Amino acid sequence: MQSHLAAISTAIERTRQEIADLRHEQEVGRTCDELNAVVQGTERATDTILSTSETVDALARGIARRARDDATRGDAKAIQDQMQTIFEACNFQDLTGQRISKVVKTIEFVEERIAEMLRLWSGPDAAPAAPKPARRERTGEAALLNGPALPGTACVSQDAIDAMFP
């Protein structure tokens, strides 16, 4: 019985360590920040597309109103029809935002449950938490594949980039 309890204890400790390593490696908070940045960026881009499309639609309406020939009026109407298609297609942003928000909530829920499990498993006489594993430094092309920076984390200002181009 004692050997079985020792094996269970070892398995629990190994699982606890694996969960702790997973939490540190995946940087859950940063993952949620990245997903929220996707939602915000998509929202901004959609707003730009919609406002520009509204301008083009208004211009086409004006052309149709002032046109003296049927061909020009027909072209203006065709432009307006295409603009309507763009307006409808921009609904993707709202759906995408809702889906990503669900994913973020799920990730946060899992993180909270893992933290609670670690707290329960630690107990009053548990050893101190394992140190955060060292980050693996990437080299070569892999070091360049960081994607866009989150707002407020850019290493180089836009002014510095603009100054490079006369």
Side-chain angles (χ1 to χ4, degrees):
M1 180 71 136
Q2 188 176 14
S3 66
H4 289 298
L5 287 174
I8 290 171
S9 176
T10 301
I12 289 173
E13 182 57 36
R14 186 176 59 242
T15 302
R16 185 173 158 249
Q17 184 59 48
E18 288 172 1
I19 290 172
D21 290 347
L22 241 179
R23 280 186 73 209
H24 293 299
E25 286 177 13
Q26 292 183 348
E27 300 178 24
V28 174
R30 178 149 174 92
T31 301
C32 291
D33 291 344
E34 293 282 355
L35 289 171
N36 285 324
V38 168
V39 171
Q40 292 168 358
T42 304
E43 190 174 293
R44 281 190 306 273
T46 302
D47 287 344
T48 300
I49 292 167
L50 287 172
S51 66
T52 302
S53 296
E54 288 169 357
T55 301
V56 171
D57 188 53
L59 291 169
R61 197 172 329 124
I63 291 169
R65 207 174 36 248
R66 290 186 308 276
R68 298 194 187 273
D69 61 284
D70 289 340
T72 303
R73 277 193 298 278
D75 288 347
K77 176 67 174 128
I79 292 170
Q80 286 181 284
D81 291 345
Q82 293 301 311
M83 298 317 312
Q84 186 61 40
T85 302
I86 291 173
F87 293 142
E88 292 168 2
C90 284
N91 286 329
F92 81 93
Q93 184 275 325
D94 186 45
L95 297 174
T96 302
Q98 290 175 27
R99 288 180 177 140
I100 290 175
S101 293
K102 285 181 182 180
V103 170
V104 168
K105 286 177 185 172
T106 301
I107 291 170
E108 290 170 343
F109 175 80
V110 169
E111 182 183 33
E112 289 169 7
R113 297 292 77 77
I114 289 172
E116 181 63 16
M117 287 171 55
L118 289 173
R119 187 188 67 73
L120 290 172
W121 286 347
S122 295
D125 58 339
K132 185 175 180 177
R135 291 187 88 174
R136 293 182 210 124
E137 291 298 320
R138 296 181 291 172
T139 59
E141 282 189 33
L144 302 174
L145 301 176
N146 296 318
L150 289 171
T153 61
C155 296
V156 179
S157 72
Q158 184 63 46
D159 291 338
I161 294 170
D162 292 344
M164 294 171 35
F165 301 99

